[in-house]
Amino acid sequence: MPKVRLTGWLAVLMLLASLLLVACGDNTATTAPAATSAAATTAAATTAAATTAATATTAAAATTAATTSASATTAAAGATNGKKLKVGLVTDVGRVDDKSFNQSAWEGVQQAGKELGWEVKFIETKDTKDYAKNIKQFLDDKYDVIVTVGFLIGDATIDAAKANPNVKFIGVDQFQATTVPNLAGLVFDEDKSGFLAGALAAGMSKSGKIAAIVGTKSVPPVVKYAEGYKAGAAYLYDNYAKLVPSGKKPEVILNYHPDGDNAFNDPTWGALQAQNVIQSGADVVFGGGGSTGNGAVESTAEKGVYAIGVDTDQYYTLPKAAPKLLSSAMKLLTKGTYDILKGIASDKFQGGNNVGESGLAPFHDTDANVPAELKDVLKKIDAGLKDGSIKTGVKVG
């Protein structure tokens, strides 16, 4: 007989036996039905639990699916809905391969273009009167994002941004006094990296005389670099006099290029000024201001004197100066430009001022010549500048 049918007959016989016992008044017969009831209750509870679990699992799965779908939607929206954007860069006066701020900003644009699949292009500005014309060329060609480089092109950038609210603009080295929603100004604390460079120079100068050969004084970032350099040298002497080899407060020579279209594109002037300050006794020279500063740095190194570069790590961009290049007062232009462009891709573009990172580049070939104690103090100064416990005291504008 099949097992199922046998089980059925046994159940019937047990039920009849229970009825007979009840009829006879044997109260022990209540045990069987009670057990059966408990089992049934347990089974029901188990079924209910299973149903609840299944429902919960299904609900959780549905919620997860909905969340995943929402995330995917958000990501798609953040990625500019898959649109391949066109990004144009207008340089300040000078070349896009100036081994300084034009080149660094362009490298940030190229990085974003490569990673995000965007079309990128640059226009080199030959004369300051061409700023607006060059920006307009990208506007006429329906570019989605326009990056302009340098303080001097700032006014033309603001005018273009206000007139074209559907185009996003990035102004490199352009402080925004008022916020234009579609214009992000990439700015830096140049006085802080200049301050570190000045402290380094004071700690490496045996003559007690150091110099800075920089671009025009009418450009605030240039002044912040130079005045920060001067303040950093004084700070090291005032707080760590034993680290100053000359034993006296450093004399700081600041040479600014005259105003004009070639203020950042005059390496001959930069080289000549470097030679002059070296002849007067300076044994560490900081060069800052596009090709003008590059001329100072390379000429200094050729004379066998310590040099300090600017904007980017010029150990890689000025190989002739590498053997005597102590460091570079950096502002991470490439990263800053790239970060804002990446923000556009993730729908995190922010109009107004966006502060980029700054600091000193590695010592590279001169590392062994920089005393360990000076290195430690420079790290402390850097930390103090970042947490606000050390102030440069530089005020511009």
Side-chain angles (χ1 to χ4, degrees):
M1 181 181 291
K3 187 175 181 180
V4 175
R5 293 179 61 188
L6 178 60
T7 303
W9 280 109
L10 287 173
V12 172
L13 290 174
M14 288 178 66
L15 179 59
L16 291 173
S18 298
L19 292 173
L20 288 171
L21 288 171
V22 172
C24 296
D26 188 346
N27 292 329
T28 59
T30 56
T31 304
T36 304
S37 176
T41 301
T42 302
T46 302
T47 302
T51 302
T52 301
T55 301
T57 301
T58 303
T63 301
T64 301
T67 302
T68 302
S69 177
S71 298
T73 301
T74 301
T80 63
N81 293 318
K83 181 181 177 182
K84 182 179 179 180
L85 300 185
K86 297 169 67 176
V87 183
L89 178 140
V90 179
T91 72
D92 200 349
V93 175
R95 310 288 294 179
V96 76
D97 58 351
D98 65 354
K99 299 178 175 60
S100 188
F101 58 97
N102 282 323
Q103 181 173 328
S104 296
W106 173 236
E107 287 172 354
V109 172
Q110 288 179 299
Q111 182 182 350
K114 181 179 180 180
E115 292 187 11
L116 301 171
W118 294 350
E119 179 183 338
V120 300
K121 182 181 178 180
F122 68 82
I123 296 174
E124 290 182 324
T125 301
K126 306 300 182 184
D127 192 297
T128 55
K129 71 177 186 296
D130 295 329
Y131 286 147
K133 181 185 73 175
N134 292 342
I135 293 173
K136 186 176 184 299
Q137 184 172 326
F138 281 129
L139 290 170
D140 291 344
D141 291 341
K142 306 301 181 184
Y143 271 66
D144 305 285
V145 184
I146 299 175
V147 181
T148 64
V149 185
F151 173 80
L152 297 177
I153 197 175
D155 289 342
T157 304
I158 292 172
D159 291 343
K162 288 181 177 179
N164 299 274
N166 294 325
V167 177
K168 289 184 170 58
F169 289 80
I170 300 173
V172 178
D173 259 357
Q174 297 170 29
F175 179 83
Q176 305 298 305
T178 58
T179 299
V180 178
N182 60 320
L183 170 56
L186 176 59
V187 296
F188 299 86
D189 294 323
E190 292 93 353
D191 54 315
K192 293 181 179 179
S193 51
F195 192 93
L196 286 165
L200 171 61
M204 294 298 293
S205 174
K206 294 181 179 179
S207 70
K209 184 179 288 189
I210 62 177
I213 312 300
V214 294
T216 174
K217 199 171 186 177
S218 63
V219 175
V222 172
V223 179
K224 288 169 70 177
Y225 266 135
E227 294 299 328
Y229 182 75
K230 183 177 181 179
Y235 179 88
L236 189 75
Y237 177 77
D238 291 341
N239 294 274
Y240 301 95
K242 66 177 182 178
L243 295 182
V244 179
S246 67
K248 59 183 180 180
K249 188 170 184 176
E251 177 185 348
V252 184
I253 304 170
L254 301 183
N255 282 356
Y256 290 94
H257 191 286
D259 286 344
D261 288 348
N262 68 334
F264 297 96
N265 194 28
D266 194 351
T268 301
W269 181 90
L272 179 60
Q273 296 303 311
Q275 292 169 22
N276 289 340
V277 296
I278 291 171
Q279 288 176 2
S280 69
D283 58 355
V284 181
V285 179
F286 171 38
S291 297
T292 301
N294 294 347
V297 170
E298 290 185 326
S299 179
T300 297
E302 287 173 3
K303 296 293 183 181
V305 173
Y306 283 132
I308 297 176
V310 77
D311 288 340
T312 187
D313 187 347
Q314 295 202 298
Y315 178 84
Y316 299 107
T317 59
L318 299 177
K320 292 181 180 179
K324 299 299 292 186
L325 192 70
L326 279 174
S327 182
S328 298
M330 293 196 308
K331 47 188 178 185
L332 304 187
L333 286 155
T334 298
K335 183 178 185 301
T337 304
Y338 166 79
D339 285 346
I340 295 178
L341 288 170
K342 189 175 181 181
I344 293 174
S346 58
D347 200 26
K348 294 179 181 178
F349 180 87
Q350 179 180 331
N353 292 308
N354 293 249
V355 182
E357 300 175 27
S358 58
L360 276 185
F363 305 118
H364 296 297
D365 292 355
T366 63
D367 184 80
N369 301 332
V370 182
E373 192 173 358
L374 178 59
K375 291 177 182 176
D376 291 340
V377 167
L378 288 171
K379 289 178 182 178
K380 290 180 181 179
I381 294 174
D382 186 31
L385 290 170
K386 287 177 179 175
D387 67 24
S389 59
I390 296 177
K391 306 291 185 183
T392 67
V394 176
K395 298 185 183 301
V396 178

